[in-house]
Structures are given as C-alpha cells and as structure tokens.
Amino acid sequence: MKRKIVIYVFLAALMLAATPAIAQEEHGYKKFNVVESFCDNGFQWFREAQLLAAGNKEKSNAMTIGWGSVGTLWQRPALTVYVAEKRYTKEFMDNSEYFTVMSFDVENSKVLNYMGSKSGRDGDKAQALGLHTAYTANGTPYYIEATMVIECKTMYAAPFDPDGFKSDIPKNMYSRFPAGIHSMYIGEVVNAWKK
C-alpha cells in the first residue's frame, strides 16, 4: 500500500512538472534554449519591434517596445527592456515578478502598431485585436498568436538617473519626450518558446 502511494505521488509530480511544457505545446510552441538557439541579431531584434507583457490572470497589459538588449549578465541569459514613466504597462512591470517579450509575424504588424499607439487605460487592447491571452506556469501573460515568447524573471529595475547622462543623446531625447524618463528592467530568461 505504501509503495502504491509513493508511485502515485511520483506520477502526480511528473504530471505537474510536465504541465508547463504541455500547455505551451497546445498552442503550437516548442521550448528552446536561448543560449544555444537564439538566432536573431541582437542589434536588429528590438528595432523590428517586439511586444512586452506583464501582469497576472486577473489583470495584465502589453505594449510595443523598440528598445532593448539580449546578452549575459551575472552569469545568466538576460534580456533588458525599457518602459517610460507614464506608460500604463509600467505599473504592471513594477508589480510583477515576471514579464514576457513576444515576436509576431509580419502579417501581424497591425498588432504591434495598435499596441504601440493605444493605451490599456482606455480598454482591453488584446480583446480589441482578437488576441487570445494565455499564461505560463509562472502566471505570466502572453498571446498565443505570437511566434516566439520569452519569459523573464526581473533581476533589476530602476529609472534612469538624468545625472548619469554623459552625452547629449539622452538629454535631447528626454527634453522632448512627454512620456517621461524610462526605467530599465533586466530579466533573467527563464523560459523561451517558438513556433
């Protein structure tokens, strides 16, 4: 009897461990290792625009981002994103342990255009676009229409300090940028999936 209980507990643990991968596979994703298989040019990837999402199952928001970086920090695969002070997504980034960055096919460029020009304060942008929100095992939101989803756990977050601007590039940028100073969020890549 004791042996049967141990076997059932072991099988239940295996099923729970497999659930995140299975949930992603239901939407056509395959898990991949970013260190070994991220093939995009890091200098171009964010210039092509990506979608950033944060929040939880009760409430979340996403926005288009064109600034960021991929690389290694503190011996971890890391992804850095920037969110301006007045953006609605900032409060979700500040209150969430995880965030996702998503890529979309060229055919879905309307998603990136809309998410970058409308505010979630005015309504549910995902619903307006007909996107289907799903959640990772960590509860991080993503859209099943994305072609690639990278999930990050925030390791560091802080706003830029204007006293640290050493060139006219950031000084000029923020002198005419109504959304306010950006905050930097450095996330450890904990999961990645692509179709």
Side-chain angles (χ1 to χ4, degrees):
M1 178 69 172
K2 213 176 197 184
R3 183 180 166 141
K4 282 185 181 179
I5 291 171
V6 170
I7 290 171
Y8 287 130
V9 169
F10 176 74
L11 289 174
L14 279 178
M15 288 171 55
L16 283 174
T19 300
I22 292 168
Q24 300 298 326
E25 288 174 7
E26 287 174 2
H27 301 300
Y29 292 98
K30 298 273 189 231
K31 194 166 187 169
F32 75 100
N33 182 319
V34 292
V35 174
E36 296 171 4
S37 304
F38 185 83
C39 299
D40 293 275
N41 178 332
F43 290 98
Q44 291 294 325
W45 193 59
F46 281 101
R47 293 185 78 178
E48 294 166 4
Q50 306 302 320
L51 203 63
L52 168 69
N56 55 42
K57 292 181 180 179
E58 286 75 46
K59 196 169 185 182
S60 62
N61 195 60
M63 64 177 277
T64 302
I65 55 172
W67 296 2
S69 61
V70 294
T72 304
L73 183 63
W74 301 311
Q75 288 89 36
R76 300 285 188 274
L79 196 147
T80 303
V81 297
Y82 305 91
V83 181
E85 179 183 356
K86 295 182 181 173
R87 298 289 185 230
Y88 184 52
T89 304
K90 186 175 186 315
E91 68 183 68
F92 294 93
M93 291 294 288
D94 289 340
N95 294 308
S96 301
E97 188 177 2
Y98 296 89
F99 63 89
T100 54
V101 175
M102 295 165 273
S103 297
F104 285 81
D105 281 335
V106 175
E107 299 84 48
N108 283 316
S109 61
K110 67 176 186 176
V111 170
L112 297 170
N113 291 335
Y114 188 88
M115 289 285 192
S117 63
K118 305 293 181 189
S119 173
R121 289 185 185 97
D122 302 326
D124 187 330
K125 296 190 288 186
Q127 185 178 28
L129 288 166
L131 296 176
H132 300 88
T133 307
Y135 302 89
T136 69
N138 294 313
T140 316
Y142 70 95
Y143 303 119
I144 64 173
E145 290 79 9
T147 56
M148 180 166 56
V149 178
I150 297 177
E151 183 180 30
C152 299
K153 183 174 183 178
T154 303
M155 297 189 289
Y156 178 84
F160 285 135
D161 179 357
D163 291 338
F165 295 156
K166 303 300 181 193
S167 87
D168 288 337
I169 294 171
K171 291 174 189 174
N172 292 337
M173 161 75 192
Y174 290 112
S175 70
R176 53 184 164 68
F177 190 68
I181 298 279
H182 283 78
S183 287
M184 174 174 55
Y185 299 87
I186 303 172
E188 176 187 3
V189 176
V190 293
N191 286 301
W193 302 271
K194 60 185 170 182
K195 291 184 178 177

